[in-house]
Amino acid sequence: MDKLKMFGAVAGDIIGSVYEFWNTKSTDFELFNKNSRFTDDSVMTLAVAKWLTEDEAHTIHYLIYCMQEMGHLHPNAGYGGHFHGWLWEEGPQPYNSWGNGAGMRVSPVGLYAKTLDEALALAAVTASVSHNHPEGVKGAQAIATSVFLAKQGKTKAEIKTYVENTFGYNLDRTIAEIRPGYSFDVSCQGSAPEAIIAFLEGNSFENVIRLAISLGGDSDTIGAMAGAIAACMYPIPDEISERCNSLLTDDLREIKDKFFEVVSKRDEE
């Protein structure tokens, strides 16, 4: 696996972080400024990566452990209210959420899985511990599927057809059509399809991220989902990957690097 593929979600998150509450409706914006940072999207993405690499049985118990451990290490990353409470509960239970937290953290599944069935099953597990509403599970599976198919070298037309037929998302819209009436939407059903559309429409990694963030709304999460898919088709420019790597903490970098090593060995098997 190309080591930079793991940076797709992280880069989209970090670039989008400054625009989450100060939305832009243009693709002409600064990629980074002094306030750029990783958020809960990166932390939970890497928690899922940690789970996949450390627990061969892929148990729900260890997934919860990884998510809570990383949440406790990075408590100010910007978690939603319900999820923040979940992170600190003893024996946390799913709370029927359809939020896009299910879609933003799932991309390591698409990179790790060897088959589409495995990607779908693992994606459902990552969502079910908190976001067990059908729309939450569907959003996670749609993003994981898109990552997996892009990693496998499928064309955009093939990815679009499969996602539409399997998940029922309307991907026939354009970013220009969506942008004027789009507002802050933290639901999977209101942001995962838009992230996939940004990927389908973009012509480079940076262009995909710019399109995704130009929608406004939950910019870091849409950027993370779109970036995760885009990184499987387009190279991430060095200036983006290097800047994002510099903004991660040592523990997050360590998880990222270990995930790359494990997935690369799986790819060789």
Side-chain angles (χ1 to χ4, degrees):
M1 184 185 79
D2 180 347
K3 193 168 187 176
L4 292 184
K5 282 185 172 62
M6 187 61 194
F7 258 126
V10 172
D13 172 43
I14 291 174
I15 294 170
S17 64
V18 255
Y19 301 103
E20 180 180 11
F21 299 113
W22 294 272
N23 284 167
T24 179
K25 290 286 187 176
S26 168
T27 57
D28 183 17
F29 56 82
E30 275 189 311
L31 291 180
F32 301 100
N33 66 34
K34 61 185 177 64
N35 296 315
S36 299
R37 66 185 186 100
F38 67 83
T39 78
D40 56 326
D41 301 66
S42 292
V43 175
M44 288 299 112
T45 293
L46 290 164
V48 170
K50 178 180 171 68
W51 168 64
L52 291 169
T53 55
E54 294 184 0
D55 179 16
E56 291 184 4
H58 302 138
T59 62
I60 288 176
H61 170 78
Y62 199 73
L63 173 61
I64 292 171
Y65 168 79
C66 290
M67 292 170 68
Q68 289 195 319
E69 179 190 42
M70 298 310 298
H72 295 177
L73 287 170
H74 301 278
N76 300 313
Y79 310 99
H82 279 109
F83 189 73
H84 186 272
W86 183 95
L87 283 174
W88 294 90
E89 289 176 10
E90 187 173 340
Q93 296 298 309
Y95 48 95
N96 202 37
S97 175
W98 35 250
N100 55 20
M104 60 84 156
R105 68 187 182 223
V106 76
S107 59
V109 163
L111 298 173
Y112 178 89
K114 285 191 169 184
T115 67
L116 185 52
D117 284 344
E118 184 181 25
L120 290 166
L122 289 173
V125 174
T126 66
S128 68
V129 293
S130 55
H131 294 56
N132 60 327
H133 187 283
E135 290 292 346
V137 175
K138 184 167 80 170
Q141 289 183 318
I143 297 299
T145 293
S146 299
V147 169
F148 177 83
L149 293 176
K151 177 190 74 172
Q152 293 294 103
K154 300 299 183 183
T155 66
K156 288 187 176 183
E158 289 172 321
I159 295 169
K160 177 177 182 288
T161 297
Y162 186 87
V163 170
E164 286 181 324
N165 291 343
T166 305
F167 304 105
Y169 288 159
N170 175 12
L171 304 181
D172 283 327
R173 301 165 292 152
T174 67
I175 295 297
E177 290 169 345
I178 299 167
R179 188 186 290 122
Y182 192 78
S183 58
F184 205 88
D185 191 333
V186 298
S187 70
C188 264
Q189 59 270 37
S191 57
E194 287 72 16
I196 296 170
I197 289 168
F199 157 71
L200 294 173
E201 193 172 318
N203 56 26
S204 68
F205 181 82
E206 181 177 328
N207 185 232
V208 168
I209 297 298
R210 288 186 178 279
L211 287 169
I213 291 171
S214 76
L215 285 170
D218 195 0
S219 301
D220 55 338
T221 298
I222 298 173
M225 293 187 290
I229 311 167
C232 295
M233 185 168 285
Y234 300 114
I236 302 177
D238 289 344
E239 59 269 25
I240 291 178
S241 62
E242 289 169 5
R243 180 67 178 272
C244 291
N245 196 49
S246 73
L247 291 172
L248 294 178
T249 54
D250 288 343
D251 61 318
L252 296 178
R253 275 193 291 268
E254 184 178 345
I255 293 169
K256 172 183 61 68
D257 292 343
K258 183 177 179 181
F259 180 79
F260 165 72
E261 292 171 6
V262 169
V263 172
S264 294
K265 288 178 182 176
R266 278 172 61 82
D267 288 346
E268 294 170 1
E269 292 173 357

